[in-house]
Amino acid sequence: MAGICCELVESETSAPMEPTSRTLKRRKMELMPFKFMADVSVSSPVECSRKRHKLDLCSPSSSSASSLLLQSKRDSRVESCESKSQEENEGAKCNKEAWRLNNHDGEKSTNDAVQVYSPKFGMTSVCGRRRDMEDAVSIHPGFIQHEGSSASNQNLHFYGVFDGHGCSHVAFKCKDRLHEIVKEEVEVEKVDEPVVQWKETMEKSFERMDKEIQEWCDGIKTSNCRCELQTPQCDAVGSTAVVAIVTPEKIIVSNCGDSRAVLCRNGVAIPLSSDHKPDRPDELVRIEAAGGRVIYWDGPRVLGMLAMSRAIGDNYLKPYVISEPEVMITDRTDDDECLILASDGLWDVVSNDTACGVVRMCLRAQRQPSPPGSPGSEAVVRSAASCENSDKACSDASILLTKLALARHSTDNVSVVVVDLRRNYNQV
Amino acid sequence: MSSSTVMPTTSSSYLSSSVMENNNHPDRQTFQKFFEFWMVEQEQHRQQLVSATKHRHGRRTINVAANQTTASEDEVETVLIPLIDRVMKHYEHYYSAKSKCAKQDVFGFLSPSWLSSLEDAFLWIGGWRPSMAFHLLYSKSGLQLEAIPLHHLINGISTDDLADLSPRQLVHVDGLQQSTIKEEKKITEMMAKHQETVADASMVELSHMVTELIMLKSSHTDSACLNGGGAEVEKERVDTTLALKEEGLEVILQRADDLRLRTLEAIVNDVLTPTQAVHFLIAAAELHLRLHDWGKKREAQIRCPQNSTT
């Protein structure tokens, strides 16, 4: 069961083998997207890949998710295989490819030294059928490390999906800052108590995030988003935030808005967050108690405007729309398979169950134990697959969900994060 | 259909013969004829593309049976790539002809008489909207994806069509889409600015002046206060003022057409594998050809409703 991965490598190898006319044209054209990507934005992912910020992934607390597609690496053995096969297959083309982070041979030694356990993950974030990209994804494996402990798997991992509205700047601020804020809060708290009170910590972090957005809005307007010159509209910008912090024992999901986290446990889809829609009964009560109204205007909307009842930003709808997250703490079990975080671009068209089913099958496609008496050739293919990218399965799963969302006519930006939670498999 | 002396057989021969005839000044009708030839050629290309995929499918089944998945590489190089190159050249040819003709008559190219009003309604600066290419790709990819049972996808059964977009390709498409939209917005903004200049001081002043002259003329029909010289000066001023507007539009149209061709080339040559590119080009041709047909049929219906039985 080489799965999707073998076929991927195959399709990519065809590129360098093309005859000259086409290859030449490709070369010529390849320059083009970069040329006009260069002026896209300050934090253009092209910049990142050009400067090879790829090392980001090795130093676990740095901001790694500036790319659209990320893959974590941890097992150096697996990784060396992976890098080699990728180098061989893609050669220079791989370097040219923007937005994708990969560790290459030169960086491997660093990686060996900083070898950190982190769950494998895959991530996809695309503009889809929208004209503006307002989603942002933030992934920081090992964003908090417990020094001193011999077991490196005491590290905490941060995964966040932010779906902006009005403009993208709130979502991007969250992507840049929220994990840092959480880290600061955890460190402050650790001075007093050894055990982190996650609910309070996360609520405080979201509150700080929201304040930062407000201050930033009130202060200098140096963003490069389209609302930059329209000061009054700056208040009408916000973002959802669904954040999962994965510790060795727990999954802490904090949610604000209508993005969602779903856990797949033993084949069953368990939502770890509950969407904040204005017509959710308790949210409706809260909004009305605060003096607000939910008006049906193309669906239920707070004051007839915002189609979610909580968000970061959106000053103009305070206090009806609040930034306080709902925090759900789940104990990890051996039956946990994966965690899916996604924006409503996915959830609007793909059910929790379908999403879990897809990811589960993608993960299993790579680890099926070889059936007794299976032919040797299959075993070879299988080992080649597992030796390839260690979290290729997660990446394949996230891409497949994204393609499924697009196929089902999702009209929104689609962002999907898939985290492999299988313990025995992760901690080889 | 026989406006030129020698009956041309291709769009390119048509255009060059017409240009020769008309002293290098192709007119609206010339381009209309060129367009008709071009559409016929597009249909021929479509057929070639379709038969290339069919041929390939046949070969692939054999290959799978013989467990040789790379054997069709030869075919990609000898059949698909030259075909794709030919189709892309055909698009290039269209845009270079358009650019040549538009220099003489930019207004005509912004509301093309050779298109139906259905196509007209979906025009962006005299042609298809560049970001539409990504919707076409996503839609076709989605249709091909939905045609496969989900477990096949998960188990990695290769379809070798647009359902097979790899992570890398999707990321590439996404980046390209965002930069295309950005560029598209920039050109739209240029157009907006330029359209606003239709009411700039020079135009307002000129229109007032000419109106006054007309009034004067009608009240003094028999007087000699307006001689031919005055009319000459007037016409010259109108021409030079409008020429400025025309120049601006020409630049914008050129940028729009550049973006269209660049987007197409980037998707076909940079993102997609040859087999996928063939599927994409088929979808593009089908949409283009059918929209034109439907528009023409509708127009015929509106003109004479009793003839619209089919």
Side-chain angles (χ1 to χ4, degrees):
Chain A
M1 280 295 184
I4 245 168
C5 49
C6 277
E7 147 226 335
L8 270 165
V9 172
E10 233 173 70
S11 69
E12 276 157 12
T13 45
S14 67
M17 300 173 75
E18 278 147 27
T20 42
S21 73
R22 191 169 156 87
T23 317
L24 274 177
K25 204 182 282 170
R26 263 175 198 263
R27 294 266 157 72
K28 189 184 79 198
M29 294 304 299
E30 227 152 16
L31 297 172
M32 189 269 297
F34 294 128
K35 202 170 69 197
F36 64 97
M37 277 303 284
D39 56 357
V40 168
S41 72
V42 182
S43 60
S44 159
V46 173
E47 278 291 284
C48 298
S49 76
R50 282 252 172 94
K51 291 178 185 160
R52 301 248 297 213
H53 277 195
K54 291 160 183 176
L55 275 166
D56 277 356
L57 271 179
C58 308
S59 56
S61 59
S62 64
S63 81
S64 55
S66 55
S67 78
L68 285 170
L69 203 132
L70 283 180
Q71 296 173 345
S72 72
K73 314 269 151 68
R74 93 212 130 76
D75 185 328
S76 61
R77 181 178 47 81
V78 168
E79 209 227 317
S80 64
C81 296
E82 189 271 332
S83 304
K84 211 169 127 208
S85 69
Q86 284 226 331
E87 291 285 336
E88 277 169 9
N89 283 323
E90 291 152 29
K93 195 169 187 281
C94 183
N95 294 334
K96 275 194 172 178
E97 194 68 61
W99 319 295
R100 174 163 165 154
L101 302 191
N102 269 309
N103 292 313
H104 291 277
D105 284 340
E107 293 152 13
K108 219 183 301 158
S109 52
T110 359
N111 214 33
D112 284 343
V114 205
Q115 189 186 339
V116 179
Y117 158 71
S118 64
K120 295 178 283 179
F121 66 88
M123 183 276 249
T124 315
S125 183
V126 297
C127 193
R129 289 190 178 83
R130 281 275 306 260
R131 285 180 70 75
D132 297 294
M133 182 57 175
E134 293 176 343
D135 277 9
V137 175
S138 165
I139 296 176
H140 300 273
F143 84 118
I144 297 176
Q145 294 182 53
H146 291 248
E147 333 77 33
S149 68
S150 56
S152 59
N153 57 4
Q154 285 300 303
N155 294 319
L156 311 187
H157 316 290
F158 181 101
Y159 309 93
V161 169
F162 312 102
D163 177 359
H165 48 259
C167 186
S168 60
H169 68 245
V170 173
F172 277 82
K173 280 266 158 194
C174 289
K175 172 191 148 179
D176 291 342
R177 281 289 292 149
L178 192 51
H179 67 284
E180 293 173 357
I181 295 174
V182 172
K183 189 178 179 186
E184 284 166 24
E185 286 301 319
V186 169
E187 274 160 5
V188 165
E189 207 182 323
K190 251 199 322 209
V191 177
D192 306 327
E193 281 179 81
V195 183
V196 183
Q197 296 302 312
W198 280 110
K199 192 171 182 301
E200 290 74 17
T201 307
M202 293 312 293
E203 283 171 0
K204 191 118 184 274
S205 302
F206 273 56
E207 196 188 325
R208 271 185 64 189
M209 188 71 240
D210 191 61
K211 278 228 177 73
E212 274 193 20
I213 302 273
Q214 257 184 69
E215 282 160 16
W216 177 80
C217 255
D218 296 340
I220 15 120
K221 315 256 189 272
T222 49
S223 77
N224 55 354
C225 47
R226 65 192 146 87
C227 67
E228 65 182 325
L229 295 173
Q230 301 155 354
T231 319
Q233 279 197 15
C234 203
D235 268 2
V237 176
S239 175
T240 72
V242 62
V243 169
I245 289 167
V246 175
T247 81
E249 302 87 24
K250 289 181 198 318
I251 303 163
I252 300 103
V253 170
S254 317
N255 179 52
C256 182
D258 60 3
S259 297
R260 194 184 305 156
V262 174
L263 173 72
C264 180
R265 177 176 283 172
N266 210 4
V268 180
I270 304 168
L272 296 187
S273 66
S274 161
D275 301 357
H276 292 127
K277 293 285 188 190
D279 58 345
R280 201 177 98 178
D282 54 340
E283 287 293 284
L284 185 62
V285 168
R286 185 187 58 72
I287 291 164
E288 286 178 345
R293 271 284 159 86
V294 173
I295 298 163
Y296 282 74
W297 181 274
D298 185 22
R301 287 167 190 270
V302 179
L303 301 191
M305 291 187 272
L306 189 63
M308 64 189 81
S309 59
R310 299 192 191 191
I312 291 184
D314 290 305
N315 279 322
Y316 75 124
L317 289 176
K318 285 191 168 116
Y320 325 123
V321 170
I322 56 171
S323 61
E324 186 189 319
E326 280 187 299
V327 182
M328 198 182 285
I329 301 170
T330 312
D331 287 325
R332 288 179 64 178
T333 72
D334 287 339
D335 288 335
D336 292 354
E337 287 165 294
C338 62
L339 178 66
I340 306 167
L341 269 69
S343 58
D344 60 348
L346 176 76
W347 302 121
D348 281 350
V349 291
V350 177
S351 70
N352 294 356
D353 288 333
T354 308
C356 278
V358 168
V359 174
R360 195 169 180 240
M361 285 197 272
C362 282
L363 296 187
R364 289 185 160 215
Q366 285 203 323
R367 76 180 273 234
Q368 274 180 4
S370 62
S374 67
S377 61
E378 197 181 325
V380 171
V381 175
R382 200 168 43 76
S383 69
S386 66
C387 176
E388 220 225 347
N389 196 339
S390 61
D391 51 58
K392 188 134 186 4
C394 289
S395 181
D396 284 345
S398 73
I399 218 94
L400 190 51
L401 286 179
T402 305
K403 288 204 286 184
L404 201 59
L406 291 171
R408 293 184 177 181
H409 318 290
S410 176
T411 50
D412 209 344
N413 302 145
V414 183
S415 298
V416 183
V417 175
V418 171
V419 183
D420 188 345
L421 293 174
R422 294 170 301 175
R423 276 182 164 151
N424 45 352
Y425 191 61
N426 270 314
Q427 300 171 351
V428 189
Chain B
M1 275 283 238
S2 56
S3 63
S4 56
T5 44
V6 187
M7 198 55 188
T9 48
T10 64
S11 59
S12 45
S13 66
Y14 177 78
L15 198 69
S16 48
S17 66
S18 305
V19 169
M20 295 298 275
E21 267 172 42
N22 302 321
N23 297 328
N24 276 329
H25 285 294
D27 57 12
R28 233 172 258 197
Q29 270 194 333
T30 314
F31 192 81
Q32 168 145 14
K33 283 279 151 54
F34 164 79
F35 177 75
E36 281 160 12
F37 276 115
W38 193 88
M39 290 295 267
V40 170
E41 286 157 3
Q42 189 176 38
E43 169 58 23
Q44 289 160 359
H45 283 148
R46 187 197 63 78
Q47 288 169 11
Q48 289 166 20
L49 288 162
V50 169
S51 72
T53 60
K54 289 214 173 107
H55 181 223
R56 199 170 153 71
H57 274 298
R59 282 280 295 275
R60 265 183 70 236
T61 3
I62 299 160
N63 286 339
V64 167
N67 209 5
Q68 305 173 300
T69 39
T70 49
S72 55
E73 280 303 322
D74 272 356
E75 199 198 330
V76 168
E77 289 199 21
T78 55
V79 181
L80 295 192
I81 290 171
L83 178 58
I84 292 166
D85 282 344
R86 237 175 14 252
V87 174
M88 291 310 290
K89 283 254 158 58
H90 192 233
Y91 279 108
E92 276 170 42
H93 174 56
Y94 176 82
Y95 286 107
S96 72
K98 186 177 172 187
S99 154
K100 222 177 273 168
C101 296
K103 285 206 169 67
Q104 318 300 324
D105 175 29
V106 68
F107 302 131
F109 280 82
L110 287 172
S111 52
S113 56
W114 47 91
L115 295 186
S116 61
S117 47
L118 170 68
E119 291 161 289
D120 226 41
F122 292 95
L123 281 192
W124 172 80
I125 314 191
W128 51 275
R129 190 177 270 281
S131 55
M132 183 275 299
F134 299 94
H135 288 250
L136 177 67
L137 178 61
Y138 282 146
S139 298
K140 191 68 193 176
S141 164
L143 289 167
Q144 293 186 327
L145 188 84
E146 294 271 79
I148 316 161
L150 207 52
H151 64 272
H152 279 206
L153 279 175
I154 290 158
N155 290 328
I157 289 169
S158 171
T159 52
D160 211 10
D161 59 16
L162 294 170
D164 246 4
L165 284 182
S166 72
R168 174 175 302 254
Q169 285 177 317
L170 197 59
V171 166
H172 200 159
V173 169
D174 187 63
L176 198 59
Q177 182 188 16
Q178 290 186 45
S179 54
T180 303
I181 290 176
K182 205 178 155 79
E183 178 103 356
E184 194 182 279
K185 283 180 176 168
K186 225 189 260 172
I187 299 172
T188 304
E189 195 57 30
M190 271 174 83
M191 189 62 166
K193 278 189 184 143
H194 192 69
Q195 284 180 329
E196 282 165 356
T197 69
V198 80
D200 66 9
S202 70
M203 291 289 279
V204 173
E205 190 194 9
L206 186 66
S207 63
H208 175 67
M209 199 193 82
V210 174
T211 313
E212 291 278 280
L213 281 174
I214 294 167
M215 300 302 285
L216 215 67
K217 254 194 239 173
S218 60
S219 58
H220 306 279
T221 34
D222 45 4
S223 84
C225 74
L226 273 172
N227 52 28
E232 277 291 281
V233 172
E234 178 198 323
K235 190 183 174 296
E236 218 178 280
R237 264 197 77 178
V238 171
D239 283 349
T240 47
T241 310
L242 286 183
L244 282 176
K245 305 296 163 214
E246 220 171 331
E247 263 167 46
L249 288 174
E250 212 182 287
V251 171
I252 294 167
L253 178 66
Q254 188 61 50
R255 278 195 66 169
D257 279 340
D258 280 350
L259 183 61
R260 279 186 269 267
L261 187 59
R262 253 190 305 152
T263 306
L264 198 60
E265 285 178 336
I267 291 176
V268 169
N269 295 334
D270 300 351
V271 177
L272 302 179
T273 65
T275 329
Q276 292 172 333
V278 168
H279 285 283
F280 178 76
L281 288 170
I282 292 171
E286 285 174 348
L287 186 62
H288 188 218
L289 291 164
R290 295 295 78 77
L291 263 178
H292 188 63
D293 284 354
W294 297 336
K296 288 277 167 206
K297 269 187 197 142
R298 280 204 166 213
E299 250 150 52
Q301 264 174 40
I302 290 163
R303 248 179 266 128
C304 31
Q306 62 271 38
N307 293 348
S308 62
T309 39
T310 45

